[in-house]
Amino acid sequence: MKTVLVTGASSGIGLAAARRFAADNWQVILLARRGEVLEKLLSELPCPPGARHSCIAGDYADPATAEKTAELLETYNTLDALVNCAGVIGIEEAVGSDPEKWRLPFDTMFNGAVNMTRCAVPFMKEGGRIVHVTSIHAFRAEKMSSAYGCAKAAITQYCRSLALELAEKGILVNAIAPGFIRTPMSSASGVCELDTPWFKENYVSGHHLPLRRAGTPEEAAGVAAFLCGPDASYITGQTIVVDGGLTITF
């Protein structure tokens, strides 16, 4: 039975990924900051005979959380996949903002990706998979999102480097770059941007988004399941864009 570690498992794409892998008969290890949410999810996940789901409450950018995760992984003995979905939003000016606030998305998401990867790889054997959820912000720009975009771009490049270095171990590393996905992060300012006139005018009625709707967390989680499955055995170092065609238009 295969085992996957999913970070950011308490909401959004991470929550959908945890549910998808459990439905596909994987053992799932949940990691996020909100322990009470994880415990509730743990009780809801389908668990086939002989399987064991677990959860860890903690900040994935904190080295102490990585230590706790490694201790838990030792009880499983092996890890087949890491799906790193954890993320934070930062809305700060590129120039003029407080440096520590500006760096928060970068320090949290990039350092978290590095910590979890270094924690997970020693438990992986040939055929292991790593999937980092980045964003189309890795190669597109938006006002007030420079730190977020820099973090996602760094993770995307990190995936390429990992793919090269881990290939000899038989571990495949890829990234998923979502566009507009209806998750709690869509409401970072207190209003869900996907329900605003701005979104409807530019992306539903307008021409910028060919599929004319936001995606669902389940659609992104399905790509993660594919990348961790047997049909993706010759894919590594790639970024799969899940954006309804947003980035192919002018």
Side-chain angles (χ1 to χ4, degrees):
M1 187 175 297
K2 290 188 174 183
T3 303
V4 60
L5 168 61
V6 180
T7 75
S10 61
S11 66
I13 295 173
L15 173 59
R19 288 173 171 162
R20 172 60 186 267
F21 280 94
D24 289 347
N25 293 322
W26 288 59
Q27 295 185 128
V28 183
I29 302 170
L30 312 168
L31 190 151
R33 288 175 293 183
R34 296 180 292 169
E36 68 285 357
V37 177
L38 294 183
E39 291 288 351
K40 182 176 184 297
L41 174 59
L42 199 65
S43 68
E44 297 171 350
L45 293 178
C47 192
R52 174 167 65 99
H53 302 319
S54 304
C55 66
I56 301 168
D59 183 343
Y60 78 132
D62 184 348
T65 301
E67 291 178 8
K68 287 194 300 182
T69 304
E71 291 174 1
L72 178 60
L73 289 175
E74 287 180 357
T75 69
Y76 281 86
N77 191 41
T78 187
L79 182 69
D80 299 284
L82 165 65
V83 179
N84 191 35
C85 305
V88 296
I89 277 289
I91 303 175
E92 299 288 342
E93 293 180 349
V95 178
S97 57
D98 179 275
E100 290 189 5
K101 289 183 179 179
W102 185 88
R103 287 188 59 91
L104 181 62
F106 189 93
D107 289 342
T108 301
M109 291 190 289
F110 183 70
N111 290 347
V114 172
N115 285 348
M116 284 298 106
T117 300
R118 293 188 172 195
C119 171
V121 167
F123 295 93
M124 289 185 169
K125 300 176 182 178
E126 184 173 354
R129 308 294 172 89
I130 298 174
V131 177
H132 288 298
V133 176
T134 62
S135 170
I136 60 171
H137 281 82
F139 35 86
R140 292 291 189 273
E142 184 178 21
K143 289 181 179 179
M144 308 293 285
S145 294
S146 56
Y148 182 83
C150 285
K152 293 302 191 181
I155 294 171
T156 301
Q157 181 61 22
Y158 183 55
C159 284
R160 297 188 186 105
S161 298
L162 285 171
L164 289 176
E165 295 187 22
L166 298 179
E168 63 184 26
K169 299 179 182 292
I171 297 172
L172 309 182
V173 187
N174 293 289
I176 298 173
F180 289 113
I181 304 292
R182 189 173 288 275
T183 72
M185 290 182 70
S186 302
S187 302
S189 62
V191 176
C192 181
E193 65 178 0
L194 306 179
D195 296 324
T196 61
W198 164 80
F199 182 80
K200 294 175 182 177
E201 179 180 349
N202 285 282
Y203 301 106
V204 178
S205 300
H207 66 278
H208 296 299
L209 180 56
L211 296 190
R212 299 184 183 277
R213 65 172 178 86
T216 68
E218 290 73 21
E219 287 172 314
V223 178
F226 163 73
L227 289 172
C228 292
D231 292 332
S233 58
Y234 200 57
I235 302 174
T236 197
Q238 303 303 306
T239 299
I240 309 300
V241 178
V242 184
D243 71 348
L246 177 62
T247 53
I248 66 171
T249 65
F250 282 101

